[in-house]
Amino acid sequence: MRPNAALLDHLRNPRQLGAFEPGEAGVSTGEARGVRCPDLVRVHVRVDGSGALDVRFQAFGCSACIASASAFLEAVTHGNPATIEEIAATFELEEERLECAGLVEQAWRRATHTPR
Amino acid sequence: VKRSIYLDNHATTPVDPAVFAAMKPALTCAFGNAASRTHAFGWQAHDAVEAARAEVAALIGASAREIVFTSGATEANNLALIGAFEAARSRRDHVVTLATEHSSVLDCLPEIQRRGGRVTVLGVGPDGLADLDAVAAALTDRTVLLSVMAAHNEFGVLQPLEALGSLCRDRGVHFHTDAAQAAGKIPLRVAELPVDLVSLSAHKMYGPKGAGALWVRHRPRRVRLHPTSFGGGQEQGLRSGTVDVAGAVGFGAAAAICQAVGARESERLAGLRDKLLVGLTLRVPGLVVHGSLAARLPNNLHVSVPGVEGEALLMSVGELALSSGSACSSASREPSRALLALGVDPALARSSLRFGLGRFTTEADIDRAVEVVAEHAARLRAMNPAWAP
């Protein structure tokens, strides 16, 4: 795969990377693993007393997996959610990378208890 | 933009400037067809091809007429396997090889089966070396050929050609070795080795892509091969088609340079490779080396960085040109079958990085490679929720 500049930017400077302190109040975590490969994305969502939302992610995976997690959560944070299809188009991902790219969305849905 | 550091010399090597200079006339004024017998253009091309043939032969201590020019090692491997099988099939119809061989050997096997032959594919030890007892047990009086590569294209492991060839000699079996990665880097003297067929590639030794050769033993007994391409009967009828004069000339020049500087170059590259290994071991905790370190090409290092996806690391680093056995970095989307045949866990194969040093690799390149691999490995491990050092 030949990564484009947008993907490389997210891969090298991931947004919303990290986790919250163990046992911190108001944190919900969701996880997703690849079926065809062992990619793993964990999304942590924290809601504080005022209802403000903070999201973080951790990931083990290929460039498409990591960069898509970063882009997806950046969009969520800015109140401007993007679909995986939109992100994949921005990154010019090949069809077979959609599974890796989509893990963040699954993990996000699990963390926020949002059915598809 | 940072300068790119090229450490993928097992994939291909840059053309040596001296090789390019030698090739230029054959691409311009000396354009003749080496098979044209009626004018000076043809004679000149013929002489250039024959001089190149002698240079390629000299690199492995062979006689020039035993060299059959091909388009590369893939074609040479195909000709060795299919050609030897077809020539002997009424008496011997069985081919033996290893699970770690290059696809240009392994993918001949279904074709041999389709033509009514039988094949045996043997495993290797965790060090990547052939099991001599298993090879001995696999060779029968129906075996026509054993094919084992001299140096592995991924993990650089050197097979015991002498011992393998002796097993073949005892049983009247031809021994073919794919020396695409080995030639020019380790000494290969066919007069002193019990080998019968050797595949060579120009672009792995600072020559042009599209040029290769199959060495076919003539003495004491000529190895019989059936051609795999048909037409003008060039290359002693074994490889029809107009000879690529510029390619052959470049291959010859590359071979001559390797013969002159190969030993010194290999010593220098082994030093740099060891420096790379020490540097990575110190800076990347948990590093795993694939294959034997003792029996190995001087310019190869193949490691895994557990907890990191190889493709993500390579894309992340950017300035290093390396390859990975990771499924995500291959066109086939499958992890390296050679690494899996070594018994490497698929997850670890995913984290693999192949370093191939070359003639133009400097000590500064190695220092920088250690620095950036260590930095990005640490960064990617830190974002892996499952990584526990």
Side-chain angles (χ1 to χ4, degrees), chain B residues 74-98:
Chain B
T74 288
E75 191 185 352
N77 286 343
N78 279 221
L79 179 58
L81 270 84
I82 307 283
F85 166 74
E86 283 293 348
R89 60 184 298 171
S90 60
R91 293 165 288 113
R92 291 173 178 259
D93 59 358
H94 176 226
V95 171
V96 180
T97 188
L98 302 184

Side-chain angles (χ1 to χ4, degrees), chain B residues 299-314:
Chain B
N299 65 325
N300 173 279
L301 185 65
H302 197 140
V303 298
S304 274
V305 180
V308 173
E309 215 300 316
E311 186 265 1
L313 181 83
L314 296 184

Side-chain angles (χ1 to χ4, degrees), chain B residues 115-158:
Chain B
R115 296 177 186 213
R118 292 174 307 114
V119 303
T120 300
V121 180
L122 299 170
V124 296
D127 54 6
L129 291 165
D131 175 344
L132 294 174
D133 292 335
V135 172
L139 301 177
T140 72
D141 58 1
R142 293 290 294 178
T143 307
V144 54
L145 186 82
L146 170 69
S147 180
V148 174
M149 68 166 84
H152 201 270
N153 56 305
E154 290 182 42
F155 35 83
V157 165
L158 307 177

Side-chain angles (χ1 to χ4, degrees), chain A residues 7 9 15 18-20 23-25 28 41 43-44 54 58 87-88 90 97 102 106-108 114-115:
Chain A
L7 184 149
D9 177 39
R15 311 345 172 220
F20 298 103
E24 198 169 333
S28 173
V41 175
V43 169
H44 310 278
D54 194 356
Q58 297 168 294
I87 291 168
T90 306
R97 292 301 178 106
Q106 289 178 41
W108 161 257
T114 316

Side-chain angles (χ1 to χ4, degrees), chain A residues 3 8 11-12 17 36-40 58-63 96-97, chain B residues 307-309 311-312 315-318 328 333 350 379-380 383-386:
Chain A
L8 286 178
L11 176 65
R12 292 173 183 166
L17 185 66
R36 292 194 309 157
C37 56
D39 284 10
L40 167 65
Q58 297 168 294
F60 166 66
C62 63
S63 58
E96 67 260 24
R97 292 301 178 106
Chain B
V308 173
E309 215 300 316
E311 186 265 1
M315 295 305 121
S316 182
V317 170
C328 300
R333 301 277 302 157
R350 222 177 130 70
R379 189 177 76 80
L380 290 165
M383 70 170 81
N384 178 354

Side-chain angles (χ1 to χ4, degrees), chain B:
Chain B
V1 180
K2 286 176 198 148
R3 190 176 76 88
S4 233
I5 297 174
Y6 188 76
L7 292 173
D8 204 9
N9 285 281
H10 298 300
T12 194
T13 56
V15 172
D16 191 298
V19 168
F20 181 52
M23 291 172 71
K24 267 193 220 166
L27 290 163
T28 50
C29 48
F31 60 84
N33 185 329
S36 295
R37 299 288 164 83
T38 51
H39 49 70
F41 294 92
W43 301 329
Q44 183 182 32
H46 175 267
D47 290 350
V49 168
E50 294 316 309
R53 196 186 305 280
E55 288 174 319
V56 172
L59 179 65
I60 57 169
S63 142
R65 62 200 174 89
E66 296 173 311
I67 297 292
V68 175
F69 281 124
T70 65
S71 62
T74 288
E75 191 185 352
N77 286 343
N78 279 221
L79 179 58
L81 270 84
I82 307 283
F85 166 74
E86 283 293 348
R89 60 184 298 171
S90 60
R91 293 165 288 113
R92 291 173 178 259
D93 59 358
H94 176 226
V95 171
V96 180
T97 188
L98 302 184
T100 45
E101 290 298 303
H102 192 265
S103 56
S104 57
V105 165
L106 290 176
D107 292 352
C108 285
L109 303 181
E111 177 59 21
I112 287 170
Q113 288 174 310
R114 196 186 66 77
R115 296 177 186 213
R118 292 174 307 114
V119 303
T120 300
V121 180
L122 299 170
V124 296
D127 54 6
L129 291 165
D131 175 344
L132 294 174
D133 292 335
V135 172
L139 301 177
T140 72
D141 58 1
R142 293 290 294 178
T143 307
V144 54
L145 186 82
L146 170 69
S147 180
V148 174
M149 68 166 84
H152 201 270
N153 56 305
E154 290 182 42
F155 35 83
V157 165
L158 307 177
Q159 296 291 352
L161 299 184
E162 183 119 29
L164 289 165
S166 298
L167 294 175
C168 291
R169 282 278 190 277
D170 295 345
R171 294 160 176 81
V173 174
H174 294 320
F175 182 33
H176 165 246
T177 188
D178 172 358
Q181 299 287 346
K185 299 179 187 79
I186 58 164
L188 277 177
R189 312 299 296 173
V190 292
E192 295 147 28
L193 278 174
V195 294
D196 300 299
L197 297 158
V198 178
S199 298
L200 301 168
S201 172
H203 79 101
K204 309 291 192 192
M205 44 192 263
Y206 314 97
K209 289 156 196 67
L214 181 65
W215 170 77
V216 183
R217 180 176 286 286
H218 280 200
R219 279 183 300 186
R221 213 155 41 89
R222 184 179 179 146
V223 176
R224 313 288 312 171
L225 294 177
H226 192 76
T228 52
S229 64
F230 305 90
Q234 290 89 341
E235 298 299 296
Q236 302 167 61
L238 286 173
R239 204 277 184 175
S240 283
T242 299
V243 174
D244 173 1
V245 178
V249 167
F251 191 6
I257 295 170
C258 283
Q259 204 182 355
V261 307
R264 246 180 310 135
E265 186 166 275
S266 289
E267 201 181 316
R268 184 182 80 88
L269 293 179
L272 288 182
R273 188 270 315 277
D274 292 344
K275 181 176 177 145
L276 176 66
L277 172 62
V278 171
L280 289 175
T281 304
L282 290 174
R283 297 281 310 274
V284 182
L287 192 83
V288 177
V289 177
H290 299 303
S292 166
L293 263 179
R296 198 180 195 96
L297 281 176
N299 65 325
N300 173 279
L301 185 65
H302 197 140
V303 298
S304 274
V305 180
V308 173
E309 215 300 316
E311 186 265 1
L313 181 83
L314 296 184
M315 295 305 121
S316 182
V317 170
E319 72 184 281
L320 292 186
L322 302 178
S323 75
S324 168
S326 155
C328 300
S329 59
S330 77
S332 65
R333 301 277 302 157
E334 295 294 330
S336 152
R337 61 178 166 181
L339 277 182
L340 300 183
L342 218 59
V344 173
D345 180 80
L348 207 55
R350 222 177 130 70
S351 302
S352 77
L353 300 175
R354 178 185 70 175
F355 295 85
L357 284 58
R359 181 169 295 164
F360 306 104
T361 304
T362 65
E363 189 164 6
D365 291 341
I366 296 302
D367 291 341
R368 183 68 190 153
V370 170
E371 189 65 33
V372 294
V373 168
E375 177 193 325
H376 287 264
R379 189 177 76 80
L380 290 165
R381 276 175 170 176
M383 70 170 81
N384 178 354
W387 173 246

